[in-house]
Amino acid sequence: MNIKFVITLLILSLATIVILVSVLLLGSKQKPCGHGNPASPQLKHNGQSLVFADLTPEELTEVKEYLKKKFTVVDISKAEPNSNCIYSVVLQLPHKKDVLLYLDKGGPKPAREALAVVYFGNQEKPGVKEFVVGPLPNPSYCNDITLKKYNRPIAYYRRPVTSNEYVQVGKFVTNKEFPKAMNFLKEVLGYDGSDGDYFGILTSAPRGLKSGDRSTWFGIFYNTQGSGFYIHPTGLELLVNHKQLDMSKWSIEKVFYNGKYLENLDELEVQYKQGVLKVVKMKRPQPHEDFGSLKPTKSTVTDIPMQFEPKGHRYSVKNNQVLFQHWSIAFGINVNSGPSLYDVRFKGERIVYELSIQEAISVYGSDGPTGMVTRYMDGYFGIGRFLYQLVRGIDCPYFATYVDTHYLLDSDTYVRNKDSICIFELNTGLPLRRHSSALGSFYYGGLANTVLVVRSIATLGNYDYVFDFMFYQNGAIETKVHATGYISSSFYMEGGNNYGNRVGPHTLGTIHTHFINYKVDLDVGGTNNSVVAHDMEFEAVEVPWSSEGQIQRTRLTKKVLENENQTAFELHGSMPRYIQFASDKKNKWEHDRSYRIQMVSFAGDFLPETSPVHNAINWAKYKLAVTKRKDEEPQSSSIYNQNDPWSPTVKFSSFINNENIKNEDLVAWITAGFLHIPHAEDIPNTVTAGNGVGFYLRPYNYFNEDPSVHSHDAVYFQPHESYNSCSTNPLACLRDTASCAPQFPEFSYNGFDNTFVAI
């Protein structure tokens, strides 16, 4: 073979390899995704939303320092029951009329104020007081509003339990009481006193049987490291009386173990030694025995499908305001009740003045005392307090926008919850609307259903609530909550299946209900609205063109509901299927411009009225109640109701007093809920699938047509058109316009920085 030919062939081969490698390397590099055009051109951020903004870290600090100058207080982390301390500082919302004057008519900006809750345990008659502190940022007044707000003093026994009080209860039990039953604890439960984290303690609530009590049943669980101790009960439960301000006078009032009530731990030890106590000998589960672990059995590289935005976010977030297409929304977090939205507008028109979570409750059943008495009111514990950092790519889409929140509650200084709100646009994979026609003419028209989502997740002990607010291109708003996390449990005993299902060797998943209450201050076409009910009925009519037949004709029924009693719809009672807030303004077709409330809920039964704690949470009696809006009725619940539900500080049913609601400023109080009977598939965690409830606010003759018809995301083409052309069908050029490499933010997590003593 000619040597020159061989060399030439080798050179050509090498050149070919170089070219191929270059093509592969350079061709595989996609352009980075852009930054896009956030929000619609006609929408601009403004500072007016700051009237609803949560208190900043600086403001929280200023208020606390001001109060420390006014009162003799100690840091709450060191406070004992007989101490004075600052429990919480939150935003004091200004009156609605002052806000609307400022937002809509250029009036003066309302003073920025804080609401402080202060414990006064170190005085002759201990009590709790609330103060309005302002104006911020340089406070000069501190007004006691307790009597004006509640018409009576706040008894000291109603105060929420602080973290330090839980710590002191734990020390009392561990150091003073456990030594009385060490043989039982060691030989039956495997506890020798050397490991301070051996047990996890879970509180019940309310704390007693009548006003003035502060006796709490605590369930004792094995504290399995790295998983939820809530599903590892030991069978031991203690009733601790911690009412006395002198902690040396605290006592154990009752002991429960494996179906038997005893007077104290001394009696438990004696009966164990005598062999008359029926025991189940156990030890804390080791990691390989822990059926509650969330650690995957096999770790693999994930290839989870992801959404990304080829041209960047199509929404914009600044301060406490988010803009998306025609939507503008102010958002915030109340440390007690959780996420809130304000001044929600579509195309510049206010639809909702306030949309906020008010309270979430769980009512349990069990054959053990801790479970059977539990009626948790989560606002008491602080829903907004437990909005921990969201995990990018799991809790929210990887490319979402994340926002920090701050609070001051049961803490010496403000606390930062990093990345505790996420905001993102979601392509649901479902068309918002579409039609493919083969009758009359051929065409296709459709619109992808992309929604803006504002999300936060509260971890309240064992449970996790995923709170979503979703905004659609047709002007609808969806509010939804999903439940996940660990179930609470009791020790499995004979007859336990009457109160749930057995889900572990010694674990009974206990039956319970969830109810979540929302305040919806709709302003449809202005502040004055009426409640209108539409439904259907059948009417029997003779066939108009024949005398030989009859038709059951469907017809529309209409009724204006005139007073609050008519709009108080009980949980499982009948209700018109279309309930709307109607304006006196008309659309093009002479219909009242309205927004419809549509609920999605499968709630269990609420407590009977004979229950002594019924009145503390009787908002849950109603799936919907509409009342005349009043500044003196700002919330359906109170943080003080949990520890004195027998004489509640706020009784929601008192809001319903037959007042006229025609052409008035109205509030809808909406309750969604579900019954949960835990089962094997709730181990290790309850899943969100099938566990979502909420409601929609839907335009009903508010517009002249569906506003999404003007969306730039819509697609329409006919056979004679070139639907492979970008000018006709934007989907045809996605491979060019949407071909980019998303820029992944670095994954980080600081959620373990947030700690709280077990509740």
Side-chain angles (χ1 to χ4, degrees):
M1 183 179 292
N2 189 315
I3 188 67
K4 289 184 178 180
F5 176 77
V6 173
I7 292 172
T8 301
L9 188 62
L10 288 172
I11 291 172
L12 289 173
S13 299
L14 182 62
T16 302
I17 292 171
V18 170
I19 291 170
L20 287 172
V21 170
S22 299
V23 169
L24 288 171
L25 290 176
L26 297 176
S28 65
K29 287 187 177 180
Q30 293 179 311
K31 62 182 179 181
C33 296
H35 298 288
N37 178 27
S40 302
Q42 65 266 34
L43 293 178
K44 303 291 183 183
H45 285 288
N46 60 62
Q48 287 189 322
S49 67
L50 292 173
V51 74
F52 302 108
D54 298 338
L55 296 179
T56 65
E58 294 77 17
E59 289 172 327
L60 291 168
T61 302
E62 287 167 352
V63 172
K64 181 157 189 179
E65 292 304 314
Y66 181 76
L67 291 170
K68 287 169 74 173
K69 293 176 183 177
K70 301 286 288 186
F71 308 109
T72 301
V73 295
V74 301
D75 285 343
I76 199 165
S77 65
K78 301 179 180 65
E80 297 185 354
N82 58 0
S83 300
N84 297 343
C85 61
I86 300 166
Y87 177 68
S88 66
V89 178
V90 299
L91 174 70
Q92 172 74 357
L93 283 168
H95 291 305
K96 182 177 179 179
K97 63 179 178 60
D98 297 329
V99 174
L100 294 185
L101 183 65
Y102 167 65
L103 294 179
D104 300 342
K105 299 184 178 179
K109 185 177 182 179
R112 191 153 168 81
E113 297 177 322
L115 177 68
V117 175
V118 182
Y119 292 179
F120 292 97
N122 187 18
Q123 60 185 30
E124 185 176 349
K125 187 175 181 180
V128 180
K129 291 187 177 182
E130 295 190 358
F131 299 92
V132 170
V133 180
L136 302 179
N138 300 303
S140 59
Y141 56 81
C142 175
N143 299 327
D144 183 351
I145 64 165
T146 312
L147 292 177
K148 180 180 179 181
K149 185 175 180 179
Y150 299 112
N151 296 315
R152 55 179 170 172
I154 301 171
Y156 197 53
Y157 55 78
R158 295 183 179 181
R159 73 192 186 281
V161 174
T162 65
S163 297
N164 196 43
E165 187 173 348
Y166 282 120
V167 169
Q168 297 303 325
V169 168
K171 289 180 177 178
F172 164 73
V173 170
T174 302
N175 299 336
K176 186 176 179 179
E177 294 296 324
F178 274 175
K180 299 176 181 178
M182 282 309 298
N183 288 294
F184 168 84
L185 292 171
K186 183 176 182 179
E187 296 170 18
V188 177
L189 302 183
Y191 172 72
D192 62 9
S194 62
D195 184 355
D197 294 324
Y198 191 83
F199 292 129
I201 301 177
L202 191 65
T203 186
S204 66
R207 308 179 188 282
L209 299 173
K210 63 183 184 306
S211 293
D213 285 353
R214 203 174 182 84
S215 295
T216 305
W217 276 104
F218 289 96
I220 310 299
F221 294 76
Y222 284 118
N223 187 18
T224 48
Q225 296 298 305
S227 72
F229 67 78
Y230 320 98
I231 55 176
H232 294 293
T234 65
L236 179 64
E237 304 178 34
L238 307 175
L239 180 59
V240 180
N241 184 335
H242 50 119
K243 177 180 178 179
Q244 295 296 326
L245 303 190
D246 181 352
M247 293 185 293
S248 67
K249 297 181 180 178
W250 289 359
S251 63
I252 297 286
E253 292 187 334
K254 228 50 164 194
V255 173
F256 177 85
Y257 175 72
N258 195 21
K260 188 170 186 178
Y261 289 92
L262 304 108
E263 291 302 314
N264 47 49
L265 286 168
D266 292 306
E267 185 182 2
L268 176 74
E269 180 82 342
V270 169
Q271 290 203 12
Y272 170 66
K273 287 181 177 180
Q274 292 175 345
V276 296
L277 187 68
K278 183 180 178 181
V279 300
V280 179
K281 293 191 175 183
M282 305 162 59
K283 288 186 177 180
R284 183 169 65 177
Q286 297 302 305
H288 68 279
E289 303 170 316
D290 185 5
F291 60 89
S293 176
L294 298 177
K295 186 176 181 178
T297 55
K298 187 177 182 181
S299 181
T300 61
V301 177
T302 60
D303 52 358
I304 303 171
M306 287 192 178
Q307 292 191 16
F308 69 98
E309 297 142 321
K311 295 185 179 180
H313 298 324
R314 303 199 304 175
Y315 60 88
S316 175
V317 181
K318 184 178 181 181
N319 298 320
N320 67 322
Q321 186 183 53
V322 57
L323 306 179
F324 171 68
Q325 296 183 348
H326 296 295
W327 289 104
S328 67
I329 306 119
F331 60 88
I333 299 293
N334 181 292
V335 68
N336 297 305
S337 55
S340 305
L341 303 180
Y342 301 96
D343 197 24
V344 178
R345 304 187 189 210
F346 188 82
K347 291 190 172 183
E349 293 187 321
R350 183 178 300 108
I351 306 296
V352 178
Y353 179 78
E354 177 184 355
L355 169 50
S356 59
I357 296 166
Q358 294 291 291
E359 182 65 280
I361 63 171
S362 303
V363 178
Y364 278 83
S366 174
D367 50 356
T370 302
M372 73 172 68
V373 301
T374 291
R375 285 92 176 90
Y376 287 136
M377 305 177 201
D378 291 332
Y380 158 89
F381 296 102
I383 298 172
R385 170 195 204 174
F386 296 114
L387 301 179
Y388 294 145
Q389 183 174 3
L390 299 163
V391 173
R392 189 183 291 271
I394 301 293
D395 296 333
C396 305
Y398 202 94
F399 297 101
T401 298
Y402 293 84
V403 180
D404 297 347
T405 59
H406 304 86
Y407 71 85
L408 198 157
L409 182 146
D410 194 12
S411 55
D412 295 339
T413 61
Y414 75 85
V415 177
R416 174 196 183 199
N417 278 351
K418 178 179 170 61
D419 295 351
S420 49
I421 299 175
C422 70
I423 300 167
F424 56 94
E425 184 179 1
L426 176 69
N427 186 330
T428 65
L430 180 76
L432 179 63
R433 52 172 176 78
R434 60 92 67 192
H435 184 65
S436 180
S437 175
L439 293 176
S441 61
F442 293 92
Y443 59 87
Y444 174 85
L447 175 64
N449 186 20
T450 63
V451 298
L452 181 80
V453 182
V454 180
R455 172 177 294 170
S456 52
I457 302 178
T459 300
L460 290 145
N462 56 301
Y463 253 100
D464 297 63
Y465 288 115
V466 183
F467 295 113
D468 283 343
F469 301 100
M470 290 171 278
F471 300 87
Y472 291 78
Q473 295 188 62
N474 70 327
I477 303 169
E478 182 182 3
T479 300
K480 198 165 190 178
V481 55
H482 287 88
T484 179
Y486 284 94
I487 61 170
S488 187
S489 69
S490 294
F491 191 73
Y492 184 79
M493 300 174 288
E494 184 179 350
N497 287 338
N498 291 320
Y499 306 97
N501 287 308
R502 188 176 186 175
V503 295
H506 306 290
T507 305
L508 175 71
T510 48
I511 186 172
H512 58 280
T513 57
H514 293 269
F515 296 92
I516 300 93
N517 187 241
Y518 292 85
K519 177 181 181 180
V520 187
D521 184 353
L522 279 159
D523 285 350
V524 181
T527 56
N528 289 353
N529 295 150
S530 299
V531 180
V532 178
H534 285 183
D535 213 317
M536 60 166 284
E537 66 181 12
F538 290 102
E539 60 179 1
V541 296
E542 300 297 326
V543 177
W545 59 90
S546 172
S547 60
E548 298 180 358
Q550 189 182 73
I551 296 174
Q552 301 297 319
R553 181 167 59 181
T554 309
R555 65 167 292 161
L556 173 65
T557 63
K558 304 177 183 179
K559 183 179 182 181
V560 177
L561 305 180
E562 299 186 350
N563 59 63
E564 292 175 336
N565 288 25
Q566 291 180 339
T567 55
F569 298 102
E570 295 193 6
L571 189 61
H572 298 304
S574 62
M575 185 177 82
R577 279 160 280 206
Y578 276 57
I579 291 284
Q580 55 259 13
F581 274 38
S583 166
D584 57 2
K585 299 179 176 64
K586 307 290 184 181
N587 74 354
K588 179 180 179 180
W589 315 112
E590 290 301 310
H591 295 297
D592 294 340
R593 300 185 69 196
S594 307
Y595 255 75
R596 176 190 172 196
I597 298 171
Q598 179 180 336
M599 288 172 285
V600 180
S601 178
F602 40 95
D605 294 338
F606 181 55
L607 288 170
E609 293 193 17
T610 53
S611 167
V613 304
H614 177 278
N615 285 338
I617 45 179
N618 64 11
W619 50 263
K621 177 182 176 181
Y622 307 96
K623 53 189 169 186
L624 171 67
V626 179
T627 63
K628 184 176 178 180
R629 188 193 186 281
K630 297 177 182 177
D631 285 325
E632 58 269 27
E633 295 175 349
Q635 292 181 301
S636 61
S637 187
S638 166
I639 62 172
Y640 311 114
N641 279 14
Q642 179 74 87
N643 285 347
D644 187 8
W646 308 280
S647 180
T649 305
V650 173
K651 179 182 175 183
F652 174 74
S653 58
S654 66
F655 294 9
I656 304 167
N657 50 13
N658 212 32
E659 287 192 75
N660 171 64
I661 55 170
K662 288 182 65 177
N663 201 32
E664 296 282 357
D665 192 0
L666 304 177
V667 171
W669 308 89
I670 301 174
T671 298
F674 51 93
L675 168 66
H676 189 185
I677 305 174
H679 43 86
E681 292 79 11
D682 284 307
I683 301 299
N685 264 189
T686 295
V687 298
T688 55
N691 285 318
V693 295
F695 60 92
Y696 289 85
L697 303 175
R698 300 176 58 185
Y700 185 78
N701 290 322
Y702 185 83
F703 303 103
N704 298 325
E705 60 186 352
D706 174 11
S708 77
V709 74
H710 302 292
S711 172
H712 293 175
D713 296 343
V715 169
Y716 176 87
F717 49 80
Q718 295 178 282
H720 67 273
E721 296 178 306
S722 177
Y723 41 80
N724 289 323
S725 166
C726 294
S727 59
T728 301
N729 174 19
L731 295 174
C733 51
L734 282 180
R735 67 178 183 179
D736 297 322
T737 61
S739 181
C740 63
Q743 304 301 296
F744 280 77
E746 182 181 357
F747 183 88
S748 63
Y749 188 70
N750 306 95
F752 299 134
D753 295 343
N754 301 100
T755 58
F756 180 66
V757 176
I759 58 175

mmCIF file of all heavy atoms in Angstrom, residues 706-734:
data_model
loop_
_atom_site.group_PDB
_atom_site.id
_atom_site.type_symbol
_atom_site.label_atom_id
_atom_site.label_comp_id
_atom_site.label_asym_id
_atom_site.label_seq_id
_atom_site.Cartn_x
_atom_site.Cartn_y
_atom_site.Cartn_z
ATOM 1 N N ASP A 706 -65.220 34.996 29.185
ATOM 2 C CA ASP A 706 -64.073 34.424 29.890
ATOM 3 C C ASP A 706 -62.840 35.273 29.590
ATOM 4 O O ASP A 706 -62.412 35.360 28.432
ATOM 5 C CB ASP A 706 -63.859 32.984 29.426
ATOM 6 C CG ASP A 706 -62.597 32.357 29.994
ATOM 7 O OD1 ASP A 706 -61.993 32.940 30.914
ATOM 8 O OD2 ASP A 706 -62.214 31.277 29.498
ATOM 9 N N PRO A 707 -62.250 35.899 30.592
ATOM 10 C CA PRO A 707 -61.096 36.766 30.320
ATOM 11 C C PRO A 707 -59.882 36.019 29.789
ATOM 12 O O PRO A 707 -58.995 36.624 29.183
ATOM 13 C CB PRO A 707 -60.800 37.410 31.682
ATOM 14 C CG PRO A 707 -61.407 36.497 32.689
ATOM 15 C CD PRO A 707 -62.606 35.897 32.017
ATOM 16 N N SER A 708 -59.836 34.699 29.966
ATOM 17 C CA SER A 708 -58.669 33.958 29.467
ATOM 18 C C SER A 708 -58.651 33.887 27.947
ATOM 19 O O SER A 708 -57.645 33.480 27.360
ATOM 20 C CB SER A 708 -58.646 32.545 30.062
ATOM 21 O OG SER A 708 -59.574 31.687 29.423
ATOM 22 N N VAL A 709 -59.755 34.278 27.283
ATOM 23 C CA VAL A 709 -59.784 34.251 25.828
ATOM 24 C C VAL A 709 -58.758 35.223 25.251
ATOM 25 O O VAL A 709 -58.328 35.089 24.100
ATOM 26 C CB VAL A 709 -61.204 34.568 25.303
ATOM 27 C CG1 VAL A 709 -61.520 36.043 25.454
ATOM 28 C CG2 VAL A 709 -61.372 34.114 23.856
ATOM 29 N N HIS A 710 -58.328 36.184 26.073
ATOM 30 C CA HIS A 710 -57.346 37.171 25.615
ATOM 31 C C HIS A 710 -55.918 36.780 25.997
ATOM 32 O O HIS A 710 -54.990 37.561 25.769
ATOM 33 C CB HIS A 710 -57.679 38.542 26.192
ATOM 34 C CG HIS A 710 -59.057 39.024 25.842
ATOM 35 N ND1 HIS A 710 -59.416 39.369 24.553
ATOM 36 C CD2 HIS A 710 -60.176 39.197 26.600
ATOM 37 C CE1 HIS A 710 -60.693 39.746 24.532
ATOM 38 N NE2 HIS A 710 -61.172 39.644 25.759
ATOM 39 N N SER A 711 -55.744 35.604 26.563
ATOM 40 C CA SER A 711 -54.413 35.180 26.987
ATOM 41 C C SER A 711 -53.483 34.990 25.791
ATOM 42 O O SER A 711 -53.873 34.410 24.766
ATOM 43 C CB SER A 711 -54.494 33.859 27.770
ATOM 44 O OG SER A 711 -53.197 33.347 28.014
ATOM 45 N N HIS A 712 -52.270 35.466 25.925
ATOM 46 C CA HIS A 712 -51.266 35.279 24.874
ATOM 47 C C HIS A 712 -50.782 33.832 24.811
ATOM 48 O O HIS A 712 -50.045 33.470 23.887
ATOM 49 C CB HIS A 712 -50.089 36.221 25.117
ATOM 50 C CG HIS A 712 -50.456 37.668 24.951
ATOM 51 N ND1 HIS A 712 -49.587 38.701 25.219
ATOM 52 C CD2 HIS A 712 -51.614 38.262 24.551
ATOM 53 C CE1 HIS A 712 -50.182 39.861 24.995
ATOM 54 N NE2 HIS A 712 -51.408 39.607 24.596
ATOM 55 N N ASP A 713 -51.163 33.017 25.775
ATOM 56 C CA ASP A 713 -50.768 31.608 25.775
ATOM 57 C C ASP A 713 -51.704 30.742 24.933
ATOM 58 O O ASP A 713 -51.430 29.561 24.723
ATOM 59 C CB ASP A 713 -50.765 31.050 27.205
ATOM 60 C CG ASP A 713 -49.731 31.712 28.096
ATOM 61 O OD1 ASP A 713 -48.809 32.349 27.559
ATOM 62 O OD2 ASP A 713 -49.852 31.587 29.326
ATOM 63 N N ALA A 714 -52.812 31.321 24.476
ATOM 64 C CA ALA A 714 -53.814 30.538 23.761
ATOM 65 C C ALA A 714 -53.307 30.124 22.381
ATOM 66 O O ALA A 714 -52.481 30.797 21.761
ATOM 67 C CB ALA A 714 -55.108 31.328 23.643
ATOM 68 N N VAL A 715 -53.831 29.001 21.894
ATOM 69 C CA VAL A 715 -53.483 28.454 20.585
ATOM 70 C C VAL A 715 -54.771 28.215 19.803
ATOM 71 O O VAL A 715 -55.764 27.727 20.358
ATOM 72 C CB VAL A 715 -52.692 27.136 20.736
ATOM 73 C CG1 VAL A 715 -52.567 26.415 19.401
ATOM 74 C CG2 VAL A 715 -51.318 27.397 21.313
ATOM 75 N N TYR A 716 -54.734 28.580 18.513
ATOM 76 C CA TYR A 716 -55.894 28.353 17.640
ATOM 77 C C TYR A 716 -55.390 28.152 16.220
ATOM 78 O O TYR A 716 -54.528 28.901 15.743
ATOM 79 C CB TYR A 716 -56.837 29.555 17.671
ATOM 80 C CG TYR A 716 -58.016 29.442 16.727
ATOM 81 C CD1 TYR A 716 -59.188 28.810 17.127
ATOM 82 C CD2 TYR A 716 -57.941 29.956 15.428
ATOM 83 C CE1 TYR A 716 -60.269 28.695 16.258
ATOM 84 C CE2 TYR A 716 -59.015 29.849 14.548
ATOM 85 C CZ TYR A 716 -60.174 29.211 14.975
ATOM 86 O OH TYR A 716 -61.236 29.083 14.110
ATOM 87 N N PHE A 717 -55.900 27.123 15.552
ATOM 88 C CA PHE A 717 -55.563 26.957 14.140
ATOM 89 C C PHE A 717 -56.656 26.162 13.439
ATOM 90 O O PHE A 717 -57.434 25.437 14.058
ATOM 91 C CB PHE A 717 -54.191 26.300 13.946
ATOM 92 C CG PHE A 717 -53.951 25.052 14.752
ATOM 93 C CD1 PHE A 717 -54.464 23.818 14.352
ATOM 94 C CD2 PHE A 717 -53.201 25.109 15.910
ATOM 95 C CE1 PHE A 717 -54.225 22.671 15.090
ATOM 96 C CE2 PHE A 717 -52.952 23.965 16.656
ATOM 97 C CZ PHE A 717 -53.466 22.744 16.250
ATOM 98 N N GLN A 718 -56.691 26.352 12.094
ATOM 99 C CA GLN A 718 -57.641 25.685 11.212
ATOM 100 C C GLN A 718 -56.866 24.904 10.148
ATOM 101 O O GLN A 718 -55.664 25.133 9.941
ATOM 102 C CB GLN A 718 -58.567 26.719 10.563
ATOM 103 C CG GLN A 718 -59.468 27.442 11.563
ATOM 104 C CD GLN A 718 -60.320 28.495 10.877
ATOM 105 O OE1 GLN A 718 -59.844 29.579 10.559
ATOM 106 N NE2 GLN A 718 -61.579 28.157 10.631
ATOM 107 N N PRO A 719 -57.553 24.014 9.424
ATOM 108 C CA PRO A 719 -56.848 23.167 8.450
ATOM 109 C C PRO A 719 -56.119 23.937 7.363
ATOM 110 O O PRO A 719 -55.049 23.534 6.916
ATOM 111 C CB PRO A 719 -57.965 22.298 7.854
ATOM 112 C CG PRO A 719 -59.027 22.286 8.886
ATOM 113 C CD PRO A 719 -58.969 23.621 9.551
ATOM 114 N N HIS A 720 -56.693 25.061 6.916
ATOM 115 C CA HIS A 720 -56.073 25.789 5.812
ATOM 116 C C HIS A 720 -54.868 26.605 6.268
ATOM 117 O O HIS A 720 -54.134 27.155 5.448
ATOM 118 C CB HIS A 720 -57.093 26.716 5.144
ATOM 119 C CG HIS A 720 -57.542 27.843 6.036
ATOM 120 N ND1 HIS A 720 -58.604 27.698 6.909
ATOM 121 C CD2 HIS A 720 -57.070 29.105 6.196
ATOM 122 C CE1 HIS A 720 -58.771 28.841 7.568
ATOM 123 N NE2 HIS A 720 -57.857 29.714 7.147
ATOM 124 N N GLU A 721 -54.668 26.672 7.608
ATOM 125 C CA GLU A 721 -53.545 27.444 8.122
ATOM 126 C C GLU A 721 -52.329 26.538 8.305
ATOM 127 O O GLU A 721 -52.459 25.337 8.515
ATOM 128 C CB GLU A 721 -53.915 28.105 9.459
ATOM 129 C CG GLU A 721 -55.023 29.128 9.349
ATOM 130 C CD GLU A 721 -55.386 29.713 10.711
ATOM 131 O OE1 GLU A 721 -55.682 28.920 11.619
ATOM 132 O OE2 GLU A 721 -55.376 30.944 10.847
ATOM 133 N N SER A 722 -51.194 27.142 8.248
ATOM 134 C CA SER A 722 -49.951 26.391 8.451
ATOM 135 C C SER A 722 -49.688 26.287 9.944
ATOM 136 O O SER A 722 -49.062 27.150 10.547
ATOM 137 C CB SER A 722 -48.783 27.097 7.746
ATOM 138 O OG SER A 722 -47.570 26.423 8.001
ATOM 139 N N TYR A 723 -50.214 25.201 10.531
ATOM 140 C CA TYR A 723 -50.069 25.096 11.979
ATOM 141 C C TYR A 723 -48.689 24.621 12.395
ATOM 142 O O TYR A 723 -48.431 24.411 13.560
ATOM 143 C CB TYR A 723 -51.157 24.211 12.605
ATOM 144 C CG TYR A 723 -51.508 22.968 11.845
ATOM 145 C CD1 TYR A 723 -50.721 21.833 11.916
ATOM 146 C CD2 TYR A 723 -52.654 22.936 11.064
ATOM 147 C CE1 TYR A 723 -51.055 20.696 11.222
ATOM 148 C CE2 TYR A 723 -52.997 21.794 10.361
ATOM 149 C CZ TYR A 723 -52.197 20.667 10.442
ATOM 150 O OH TYR A 723 -52.523 19.533 9.750
ATOM 151 N N ASN A 724 -47.797 24.450 11.453
ATOM 152 C CA ASN A 724 -46.385 24.244 11.774
ATOM 153 C C ASN A 724 -45.613 25.559 11.763
ATOM 154 O O ASN A 724 -44.399 25.573 11.947
ATOM 155 C CB ASN A 724 -45.751 23.272 10.776
ATOM 156 C CG ASN A 724 -46.256 21.849 10.981
ATOM 157 O OD1 ASN A 724 -46.471 21.442 12.110
ATOM 158 N ND2 ASN A 724 -46.455 21.112 9.897
ATOM 159 N N SER A 725 -46.352 26.645 11.541
ATOM 160 C CA SER A 725 -45.725 27.962 11.494
ATOM 161 C C SER A 725 -45.807 28.628 12.858
ATOM 162 O O SER A 725 -46.861 28.600 13.513
ATOM 163 C CB SER A 725 -46.427 28.831 10.447
ATOM 164 O OG SER A 725 -46.071 30.185 10.608
ATOM 165 N N CYS A 726 -44.715 29.260 13.265
ATOM 166 C CA CYS A 726 -44.693 29.929 14.571
ATOM 167 C C CYS A 726 -45.707 31.059 14.643
ATOM 168 O O CYS A 726 -46.263 31.338 15.708
ATOM 169 C CB CYS A 726 -43.293 30.485 14.850
ATOM 170 S SG CYS A 726 -42.046 29.198 15.054
ATOM 171 N N SER A 727 -45.941 31.729 13.530
ATOM 172 C CA SER A 727 -46.864 32.864 13.544
ATOM 173 C C SER A 727 -48.299 32.417 13.772
ATOM 174 O O SER A 727 -49.110 33.138 14.340
ATOM 175 C CB SER A 727 -46.760 33.641 12.229
ATOM 176 O OG SER A 727 -47.071 32.780 11.130
ATOM 177 N N THR A 728 -48.613 31.200 13.358
ATOM 178 C CA THR A 728 -49.956 30.659 13.564
ATOM 179 C C THR A 728 -50.066 29.907 14.875
ATOM 180 O O THR A 728 -51.030 30.048 15.623
ATOM 181 C CB THR A 728 -50.326 29.711 12.405
ATOM 182 O OG1 THR A 728 -50.267 30.439 11.178
ATOM 183 C CG2 THR A 728 -51.718 29.133 12.604
ATOM 184 N N ASN A 729 -49.057 29.103 15.163
ATOM 185 C CA ASN A 729 -49.093 28.219 16.325
ATOM 186 C C ASN A 729 -47.759 28.289 17.072
ATOM 187 O O ASN A 729 -46.773 27.677 16.648
ATOM 188 C CB ASN A 729 -49.378 26.787 15.864
ATOM 189 C CG ASN A 729 -49.294 25.788 17.003
ATOM 190 O OD1 ASN A 729 -49.369 26.162 18.170
ATOM 191 N ND2 ASN A 729 -49.145 24.516 16.651
ATOM 192 N N PRO A 730 -47.698 29.024 18.175
ATOM 193 C CA PRO A 730 -46.434 29.153 18.920
ATOM 194 C C PRO A 730 -45.860 27.820 19.384
ATOM 195 O O PRO A 730 -44.658 27.706 19.610
ATOM 196 C CB PRO A 730 -46.826 30.025 20.124
ATOM 197 C CG PRO A 730 -48.057 30.743 19.699
ATOM 198 C CD PRO A 730 -48.776 29.812 18.773
ATOM 199 N N LEU A 731 -46.712 26.787 19.511
ATOM 200 C CA LEU A 731 -46.201 25.488 19.936
ATOM 201 C C LEU A 731 -45.226 24.897 18.916
ATOM 202 O O LEU A 731 -44.351 24.105 19.265
ATOM 203 C CB LEU A 731 -47.365 24.513 20.142
ATOM 204 C CG LEU A 731 -48.356 24.838 21.271
ATOM 205 C CD1 LEU A 731 -49.520 23.863 21.236
ATOM 206 C CD2 LEU A 731 -47.658 24.772 22.619
ATOM 207 N N ALA A 732 -45.388 25.302 17.657
ATOM 208 C CA ALA A 732 -44.568 24.728 16.603
ATOM 209 C C ALA A 732 -43.107 25.139 16.707
ATOM 210 O O ALA A 732 -42.233 24.474 16.150
ATOM 211 C CB ALA A 732 -45.124 25.135 15.238
ATOM 212 N N CYS A 733 -42.835 26.231 17.384
ATOM 213 C CA CYS A 733 -41.447 26.693 17.452
ATOM 214 C C CYS A 733 -40.870 26.579 18.853
ATOM 215 O O CYS A 733 -39.871 27.226 19.170
ATOM 216 C CB CYS A 733 -41.328 28.128 16.934
ATOM 217 S SG CYS A 733 -42.482 29.282 17.673
ATOM 218 N N LEU A 734 -41.495 25.756 19.685
ATOM 219 C CA LEU A 734 -40.966 25.586 21.041
ATOM 220 C C LEU A 734 -39.554 25.010 21.031
ATOM 221 O O LEU A 734 -38.738 25.315 21.888
ATOM 222 C CB LEU A 734 -41.882 24.677 21.859
ATOM 223 C CG LEU A 734 -43.168 25.312 22.418
ATOM 224 C CD1 LEU A 734 -43.959 24.273 23.205
ATOM 225 C CD2 LEU A 734 -42.847 26.503 23.300
#
